[in-house]
Amino acid sequence: MVGRESTRSGGTVRRIEPRGRRSFGIAGDARRAWLILAVLAIGCAGGAPLVENTPPDAEDLWGRAESARLAGRDSEAADLYATFYRHHYRDPRAAEALLNAGVAHRRAGEPTSARSHLITAAGLGDDRITPHAQLQLGYLERGEGQYAAAAMRFEDAARSARDVETRAEALLEAGISLQRAGAFEEATRPLRACLDLAEVAPRFAEEAREVLARDPSFTVQVGAFARRSHATERSAALVGAGFPAEVRASDATGTSLYLSLIHI
């Protein structure tokens, strides 16, 4: 039998040990242990690690993000701040990291990523960060010609702001956005509220005073239409091009017309 042969010699039976079952003793066990360790070492060096990667150090990551931001490397800064948030979302600076990532993306001309980070930052419930994220969303939307949406963002920021400077800035920008949307009468409300903060936010209040001083009655007529829908369409195109336009009804000629007007 393989591994269990027996031979007869002089009437005695000599049993042969089965192959592969020889005892190595203590020295043999040690050699096998070293062999196993060597195989494991080779596997770790040449293949996937056996343990999960350690997250990047928070302080090092934050420092690199800040350095990139200050150096004007906006895309790099945005990626580093976003990485900080992913790995250290329990850190007290997590919401600030998302806000900074959104601002950096906006400066880099990456509106989709900017909007995603800013909306998330605004929704984290950190009342230090939320109004600033809303402000940045307002600037982003106004830059895209969405003046009414921007005004709503700025008014949200004004309501949630903890400090007077941020509230004054938000009120001013809400008024400017409403004017650009052609809602001049509605724009006076946030602008006058900004003026009320002149003692504590003089810079924003002075700009609000200048904006209010623009005469909304001074207009240039760019079209007269029998149908309001046509006048509205023309004004929407003008607003989209960056002009503060509105529609007014007129019967000065004895015929009802809808005028498309640009405010100068």
Side-chain angles (χ1 to χ4, degrees), residues 2 4 25 32 37 48 82 88 100 139 144 157-158 210 214 219 225 235 237-238 244:
V2 176
R4 197 170 177 79
R32 280 191 293 177
L37 289 174
H88 304 286
N100 291 347
Y139 287 124
E144 296 173 340
E210 293 174 2
R214 299 170 188 166
T219 59
F225 304 90
S235 293
L238 291 167

Side-chain angles (χ1 to χ4, degrees), residues 34-250:
W34 279 111
L35 180 60
I36 291 170
L37 289 174
V39 171
L40 289 174
I42 292 171
C44 289
L50 297 180
V51 293
E52 210 175 296
N53 284 333
T54 304
D57 178 73
E59 296 307 320
D60 174 66
L61 196 53
W62 186 267
R64 287 162 54 205
E66 289 284 277
S67 296
R69 177 181 65 84
L70 294 172
R73 301 193 304 273
D74 295 318
S75 291
E76 179 186 348
D79 290 341
L80 288 168
Y81 282 124
T83 301
F84 181 95
Y85 176 77
R86 284 197 303 273
H87 290 288
H88 304 286
Y89 58 89
R90 296 185 185 276
D91 189 285
R93 296 166 293 184
E96 184 181 354
L98 272 184
L99 170 65
N100 291 347
V103 173
H105 275 304
R106 186 170 74 85
R107 289 176 177 168
E110 299 159 351
T112 301
S113 297
R115 182 176 286 103
S116 174
H117 288 312
L118 291 170
I119 289 174
T120 304
L124 288 178
D126 187 330
D127 55 4
R128 299 172 304 113
I129 300 301
T130 295
H132 296 284
Q134 291 167 333
L135 266 175
Q136 292 299 322
L137 283 165
Y139 287 124
L140 180 65
E141 289 170 345
R142 191 166 71 191
E144 296 173 340
Q146 302 178 50
Y147 301 121
M152 292 178 63
R153 293 285 190 189
F154 288 129
E155 291 189 321
D156 286 343
R159 281 190 291 269
S160 62
R162 297 174 64 185
D163 63 283
V164 178
E165 285 274 327
T166 302
R167 184 177 302 119
E169 179 183 358
L171 288 168
L172 169 65
E173 300 301 339
I176 292 172
S177 298
L178 286 168
Q179 281 197 353
R180 292 188 182 179
F184 280 83
E185 290 186 14
E186 190 178 346
T188 60
R189 176 179 47 79
L191 291 171
R192 292 191 184 283
C194 183
L195 274 179
D196 292 340
L197 303 175
E199 290 188 8
V200 286
R203 178 168 63 91
F204 295 116
E206 181 58 32
E207 190 171 348
R209 185 176 288 107
E210 293 174 2
V211 174
L212 278 168
R214 299 170 188 166
D215 186 356
S217 64
F218 189 67
T219 59
V220 173
Q221 180 179 318
V222 294
F225 304 90
R227 294 184 179 181
R228 186 181 187 90
S229 60
H230 292 167
T232 301
E233 184 178 344
R234 173 64 60 86
S235 293
L238 291 167
V239 169
F243 297 100
E246 68 169 321
V247 174
R248 288 185 191 171
S250 172

